[in-house]
Amino acid sequence: MAIEILKLLVRSADSWIFEGSLSGLSDREWMALRYLARANKFSRTPSALANFLGTTRSAASQIAAALQSKGLVARKPFAEDKRSIALCLTEEGEKFLKRDPMNALRDRLVALDVTDQFRLRDTLRSVLDGLDVGKRRHHADICTECMFLIERGEGKDRHFRCQLFRKSIAQKDTTQLCAYFEGRSERGQLQAGV
């Protein structure tokens, strides 16, 4: 059964991984573009991109430069620290993502019954979290699942704060990816070597 599941996962990835170069982007460039489209304001740096891609900062900078040369990404200084740069999608980059080869797989997943979507998501998350813990690596995920997010108030008085960066976060940003994510239960697992 495990081999059959693995073959199905590889087959599903085959529907979009190797299609990337047909659109003028390598698979790594697609990964970077997808990540930057979903990353929060703290996670759009070359270092965070390198961490997400599992590569060096130099290699991530080359990928960002390739995306910039194609007009899909722009480098902008951070408002708080002009020495640091943020990698931001351009309008052309946002349009380009509409042609993402991964969209066909996404559409098939959307067509599933909601119960099956939740079951598949939870099962895959469990498998991947186990791989991350085993390799002692972190992954990007959304703020609402992160141990550093503090939520206070209700209704119009509701506000969010990241304990790690000691900064306020807009509610819309809590559903974006963060490269500094740490799950509520992960810290104990990583420290214990589970």
Side-chain angles (χ1 to χ4, degrees), residues 27-29 31-32 35 43 45-61 63 132 135-140 179:
D27 293 326
R28 285 284 178 133
E29 290 168 344
M31 284 178 66
Y35 169 76
S43 302
T45 64
S47 295
L49 178 61
N51 185 42
F52 177 78
L53 295 175
T55 189
T56 65
R57 190 173 187 276
S58 174
S61 291
I63 292 168
D132 287 343
K135 291 186 176 184
R136 296 186 177 272
R137 67 179 178 207
H138 292 289
H139 65 278

Side-chain angles (χ1 to χ4, degrees), residues 1 8 24 31 45 59 62 69 72-73 100 115 140 147-148 150 170 186 189 191:
M1 179 63 85
L8 290 169
M31 284 178 66
T45 64
Q62 289 174 358
S69 72
L72 305 175
V73 169
D100 186 345
T115 304
M147 67 179 286
F148 297 122
I150 301 283
E186 282 180 18
Q189 290 176 342
Q191 288 175 344

